[in-house]
Amino acid sequence: MVPTLFGVLTLTFVVTQFVPGGPVDQAMAQLEGESARTGQDGNSGSGSWNYSGRIGIDEKEVDHLTSLYGFDKPVWERYVHMLSQLVRFDLGESYFRNESVSTLIAGKLGVSVALGVWTFVLTYAISVPLGVAKAVRNGTRFDTLSSILVLTGYAIPGFVLGVLLILLFGGGSFWDIFPLRGLVSDDWDTLSWHAKITDYLWHITLPVTASVISSFAIKTFLTKNTFLEEISKQYVLTARAKGLSEKQVLWRHVFRNALLPLVTGFPATFIAAFFTGSLLIETLFSLDGLGLLSFESINARDYPVVLGTLYVFTLIGLLTKLVGDLAYMLVDPRIQFDRREA
């Protein structure tokens, strides 16, 4: 995990060295009131973090900004400084927002966590029972119709479905049922506790629906195929011969063995729920989360925020993979080689 984390940060740091229009250029463009230009009237066309040399700008101002952002130091020194900060979980200060990166991430994290957790929970809560039902009714009309619905949802991109939901239920062209901005109403603090729950669920319905529909297909068919494979094995016939009910056979015996592929896909599903398409969904439904923050920071060349959000994303991904490995080990003790040798 540690080498992977440092590898991701190092690669990102190196890539940012070659991105045209660095923070100094962005700051000078704001002062000039015009868009940043790169590769003109100067020698920043190679993509360095240096000022591109605009005519009429005081060189002392440029030198001050260069020193303020730390770009007057050698690249290796900036790299070591970045790593030393991140090791101490000090994400630094934003160049343009006058806030610490930790504060910015903490303020946006709730939106991304809400979308990610709901998407992840609903994906497993619906896909696993649906996959089991399809395996038990394999080849029936229910199996065929559910496959068509699941694959149709998988084929529709989340942001396209989001636009359709807004047109249908968000006051776009038909019914004005669900709100379109934020996770809660402006008067949320004045509501009773049950009204707060209702208000929150009302706001989260459309973005979660747009995020989760395309997630069902893979988990549903994986569950179905795994159950079909397990049902045909000898131990299932033995369990049925002992007089166990079909429910006991499925959920007490088959489910434990069929759970292994689902646990293996746990990290990928969790990470995808948090980060895949979050930018488009957050933008579409006016949700100010980490996806939108990262996108805006990349455009503004706000590198402390870019590196800070990437650091948080990578940590979450690595820890999730670790949890997935531990869960796999708990479900199937056979992979513990020390136990096998004992």
Side-chain angles (χ1 to χ4, degrees), residues 107-126:
K108 314 291 184 181
L109 190 60
V111 174
S112 298
V113 168
L115 287 176
V117 169
W118 278 110
T119 302
F120 175 76
V121 170
L122 290 176
T123 297
Y124 271 87
I126 295 175

Side-chain angles (χ1 to χ4, degrees), residues 119-134 150 212-213 215-224 262 269:
T119 302
F120 175 76
V121 170
L122 290 176
T123 297
Y124 271 87
I126 295 175
S127 297
V128 172
L130 180 59
V132 174
K134 287 172 64 63
V150 168
V212 78
I213 290 297
S215 306
F216 291 147
I218 296 177
K219 286 291 171 287
T220 299
F221 284 103
L222 178 62
T223 303
K224 174 190 173 181
L262 298 177
T269 306

